[in-house]
Every structure is written in structure tokens, then in C-alpha cells.
Amino acid sequence: MTRIIFLGPPGAGKGTQAKILADHWGVPHISTGDILREAIKEQTPLGVKAKSYVDSGQLVPDLLVQDMVEERLQRADTTSGWILDGFPRTVSQAAFLDNLLQKINLDGVMVINLDVPDDVVVGRLLERGRKDDSEEIIRHRLEVYRSETTPLIDYYRDRKQLIVIDGNKSPQSVTSNLKDLIVSC
Ligand code: ADP
């Protein structure tokens, strides 16, 4: 059973690595950013509510994202596991996820912190050039990450669920380190 949460700043390579590992293990890659961008494109009620937050690099309110994740984690394709990318992003989302997993009788989730210095992620994101990847919005997303999401590193370390991986290496070597570490746990 593979259940993995990816933490790490924007541009750390969470999406890239999560996709590769999800294909490798045959489990869904669940990216809250991807789901939100799709909802915005389709102009669903969720997308309409989320748009201004995503465009400006703010966090979408917890309740909206939590409902979305709850629905997604109950779909049939999640029975053999999943890789969560972009959730949880706040301590309150993490507490919500703990409750949800208890409710559906799941434990043994591993948390990967993909560690990359700020100057490296800013460079990577500027090259990527997504709509919310202007320098000002990137800096803002990094601030939000530092204030809202880094407390989760201690949260999961205290629960002995945390694995730290150096993300400042080639994508191939990060993938191989991830595979080695996750298999040996
Ligand atoms: P990145 O990791 O590069 O910031 P994501 O695709 O993970 O990119 O997220 C893009 C945007 O989607 C975030 O800036 C935020 O507005 C929104 N978002 C994604 N996940 C969450 C979440 N768990 N809680 C609140 N907002 C979220």
C-alpha cells in the first residue's frame, strides 16, 4: 500500500516526482493545484470561488480544499493508495486529513519533504512560466509556504512520519533516492 504526501516549496519538483512515482506504483497522483486549475478552466462552482486565490498566489480557503480532497480520496481508484501533492498545506488541513484517514481506517502515511533552497526554486519557476509564476507572485507563494506550510514539517516529524529528501539534484537522482528510501521504509 502506497500512501505518500509531498511537502516542499513551490518549484521543489513535487509534481514531477509525484507523477513518476504514481506511474511506477500504479496509484493516482492527486495534485490539489491541478484539480483547482482544471476547475477554474471548466468554471465549475469550485473553480469560480478558487480563481482569485490561485491567480494571486494565496491559499484557497481550507474548507473548499478539504471538501475537494475528501471527495477525491473516496473514489474507487484510491483503494491501493495515492500520492498527494499540494495537500495538506496548513496545520488545519493536516488535522483534517488525519481525521479523514482515521474515519476511513487508513494509517501508515509517509510524508516526503522535498528540500530545495529559495533561490533555486525561484529560478525554476521563472523558467516554467505558468500563469501564477511571475516573480512577485512566486515570492508571495514562497512566503505563504514558509508561514503556513513549513510548520507541517515539525508536525509530521513529531509523528515520526517525515522523510527529508534533497530536491536540489537532477530529477533522475531525486527519483532514484525517493524509490530507495520509500521501498526501505
Ligand atoms: P506550487 O506548488 O507551485 O505552488 P500548486 O499547483 O501546488 O503549485 O498550487 C497552486 C495554487 O493552488 C496555490 O498557490 C494555491 O492557490 C492553490 N492550492 C493548491 N493546493 C492548495 C491547498 N492544499 N490549500 C490551499 N490552496 C491550495
Side-chain angles (χ1 to χ4, degrees):
M1 173 73 64
T2 312
R3 278 187 237 99
I4 294 169
I5 292 169
F6 268 99
L7 295 180
K14 300 186 296 286
T16 306
Q17 298 296 334
K19 219 169 282 157
I20 293 171
L21 295 178
D23 283 350
H24 182 70
W25 284 305
V27 296
H29 164 218
I30 302 176
S31 155
T32 46
D34 285 352
I35 298 174
L36 288 167
R37 279 185 290 277
E38 185 62 27
I40 291 169
K41 204 171 85 195
E42 301 292 325
Q43 299 184 328
T44 66
L46 168 69
V48 170
K49 287 184 206 139
K51 183 174 169 35
S52 61
Y53 298 99
V54 173
D55 285 351
S56 60
Q58 287 170 268
L59 292 184
V60 174
D62 285 340
L63 288 181
L64 283 181
V65 186
Q66 287 169 189
D67 279 352
M68 178 180 109
V69 168
E70 177 160 14
E71 187 271 325
R72 182 64 187 87
L73 289 185
Q74 314 227 9
R75 287 204 210 153
D77 65 347
T78 59
T79 47
S80 57
W82 35 254
I83 299 185
L84 260 182
D85 156 17
F87 186 93
R89 249 180 161 96
T90 63
V91 171
S92 120
Q93 292 178 10
F96 171 85
L97 183 63
D98 277 348
N99 271 325
L100 178 65
L101 297 181
Q102 263 172 26
K103 222 164 52 187
I104 48 183
N105 271 322
L106 292 179
D107 51 15
V109 176
M110 278 198 308
V111 181
I112 312 277
N113 179 30
L114 210 49
D115 202 22
V116 181
D118 279 8
D119 54 336
V120 175
V121 297
V122 173
R124 287 184 186 177
L125 292 171
L126 285 173
E127 268 173 41
R128 179 171 77 178
R130 209 168 65 193
K131 192 178 172 204
D132 57 344
D133 284 341
S134 73
E135 180 142 12
E136 191 194 337
I137 295 178
I138 292 170
R139 298 258 173 226
H140 184 62
R141 297 213 320 275
L142 273 172
E143 272 168 35
V144 172
Y145 176 76
R146 297 285 166 225
S147 64
E148 302 288 333
T149 310
T150 51
L152 292 183
I153 295 172
D154 287 336
Y155 179 95
Y156 287 116
R157 189 184 288 119
D158 290 348
R159 285 167 177 69
K160 314 252 179 287
Q161 286 173 279
L162 190 77
I163 297 174
V164 180
I165 296 263
D166 182 0
N168 193 14
K169 296 198 166 154
S170 73
Q172 294 83 349
S173 75
V174 175
T175 305
S176 98
N177 288 344
L178 280 165
K179 284 184 182 165
D180 288 350
L181 263 168
I182 292 169
V183 167
S184 66
C185 283

